[in-house]
Amino acid sequence: MSRKLFGTDGVRGEANSGNMTAEMALKLGAAAGRYFRQDDSRGHRVVIGKDTRLSGYMFENALTAGLTSTGMNVLLLGPVPTPAVGYLTRSMRADMGIMISASHNPAKDNGIKFFGPDGFKLSDEAETEIEAMLDTDIRLARPENIGRAKRIDDGLGRYVEYAKTTFPKLRKPDLKVVVDCANGAAYRAAPAVLWELGCEVIPVGVSPDGRNINDGCGSTHVSTCAEAVVAHGADLGISLDGDADRVMIIDETGHVADGDQIMALFAKRWAESGQLSGGALVATVMSNLGLERFLEAEGLRLERTKVGDRYVVERMREGGFNLGGEQSGHIVMTDYATTGDGLMAGLQFLAAMVETGLRASDLVRQFETVPQMLKNVRYQAGQEPLSADNVAKAILDAENRLNGQGRLLIRKSGTEPLIRVMAECEDEGLLEATVDSIVAAVEAETA
């Protein structure tokens, strides 16, 4: 069966248009409810969290209506990080969890992500089955079995207390930390966790108004956090995205470390302490070649997957690995969480500073990156630029020019209508020419 609704991270798009309407959310809630309540027994429950987007109210209500119509009881968490939904789904013995968020996208977008009873995101196969149900007459619950909905006031507090337990039993991190919450889902949780652990906290991006999520702040606008770190003389900056499942780390000089550098640090430390499972780190095809070389020098392996933290997690579970992530800042530590958790990754970096006594700037540069260039080309609905002959020829020519000197990756984004053109090469002139030639060909097809 083909997938038209679900992308690499659930359903996502501009709110109140296309697939992201209240009507679709209602149907999706009913389909997911019936998928998880096939035996008609009572007591089935689902937890729903959301970020701070204005449209979250609309989707929360629509999903609740669909779910309760099939007999599911709904527990509403309010604004919480995505990893909190994964944790609470399992902790509260729910049949599934739902996060309403478009992650790092602007406020006009929104999305719906599903988690299974084990707290992990649903597989492609499960999502495909749910999507197929949208074209059928979904069996509704009998009147006496319609589900109930109620708000859960202590969900955020449960997550805060759990997050604190992931910080090792070291002395208090008596450090000044800037935390940028992107006016998103972690605007209450992240500052609370850091302060309660002992940090002096400088909060940024903690005044959500429904429209300012990721707006000039957060992990996609790291300059805001970097400037605050320098201005306040902070020891560390932790910059989260809108749903707090990814992070960028900023050292005391304002230098930014992406997910590759953070994963390199964790992999090395965990290997030395015996915590790393399977002698490998799992990352996507987007991770820098420098990371792969670094791991090889440490006697470790890099297991690559296609883009999307769900695919990283799937490979981790298949291979018995406990550390993985993406260059974009998803850091997955299955010893602690079922999905990327930006706050917990920040705590692990903080622990490295406390344990070693080193400054953040001594820890964020684990390897020299191979020059990498990424450019995006937007396309319209119905267009298939990668199928065009001139684009295929441009890609083949680029591969021939690189010829072992670097790496080329061209793909569709799974969350936005973008063609992503990425290349790595030691020769920066060749790198730029390679990427630009492909971008020009794609743009000619999308004009």
Side-chain angles (χ1 to χ4, degrees), residues 377-380 383-385 419 439-447:
V377 183
R378 189 168 294 273
Y379 62 91
Q380 301 300 317
Q383 292 182 327
E384 294 290 342
I419 301 298
V439 167
V442 174
E443 287 178 337
E445 290 298 318
T446 59

Side-chain angles (χ1 to χ4, degrees), residues 1-13 17-21 23-29 31-32 59 63 110-114 124 126-135 310 414-416:
M1 291 181 287
S2 62
R3 290 158 52 97
K4 296 181 180 178
L5 189 62
F6 285 91
T8 57
D9 199 16
V11 181
R12 190 177 299 188
S17 65
N19 287 324
M20 285 307 300
T21 63
E23 180 183 13
M24 177 56 74
L26 176 70
K27 292 179 180 178
L28 199 54
F59 291 120
L63 284 164
N110 216 328
I112 301 170
K113 311 176 188 182
F114 291 92
D124 285 351
E127 288 182 344
T128 301
E129 288 188 45
I130 291 172
E131 183 171 333
M133 294 173 68
L134 297 175
D135 296 324
R310 61 184 299 150
T415 57
E416 300 177 80

Side-chain angles (χ1 to χ4, degrees), residues 343-397:
L343 174 58
M344 290 185 190
L347 295 182
Q348 288 296 308
F349 190 93
L350 193 63
M353 292 179 64
V354 173
E355 188 171 359
T356 64
L358 297 173
R359 299 170 302 176
S361 58
D362 298 319
L363 298 173
V364 296
R365 294 177 175 87
Q366 291 295 309
F367 63 88
E368 291 297 323
T369 59
V370 173
Q372 184 182 84
M373 181 175 289
L374 170 65
K375 291 189 177 182
N376 299 319
V377 183
R378 189 168 294 273
Y379 62 91
Q380 301 300 317
Q383 292 182 327
E384 294 290 342
L386 295 185
S387 300
D389 290 342
N390 72 310
V391 174
K393 183 179 183 304
I395 293 172
L396 180 60
D397 290 345

Side-chain angles (χ1 to χ4, degrees), residues 258 260-261 286-294 304 327 367-373 402 405-407 422-428 431:
D258 64 13
D260 283 350
Q261 296 286 356
M286 294 297 290
S287 280
N288 194 273
L289 188 59
L291 173 61
E292 191 167 351
R293 293 172 177 173
F294 169 84
R304 289 191 186 268
Q327 186 185 63
F367 63 88
E368 291 297 323
T369 59
V370 173
Q372 184 182 84
M373 181 175 289
L402 286 176
Q405 298 183 63
R407 198 165 64 95
M422 190 275 282
E424 291 175 337
C425 183
E426 301 283 3
D427 184 334
E428 295 193 39
L431 174 65

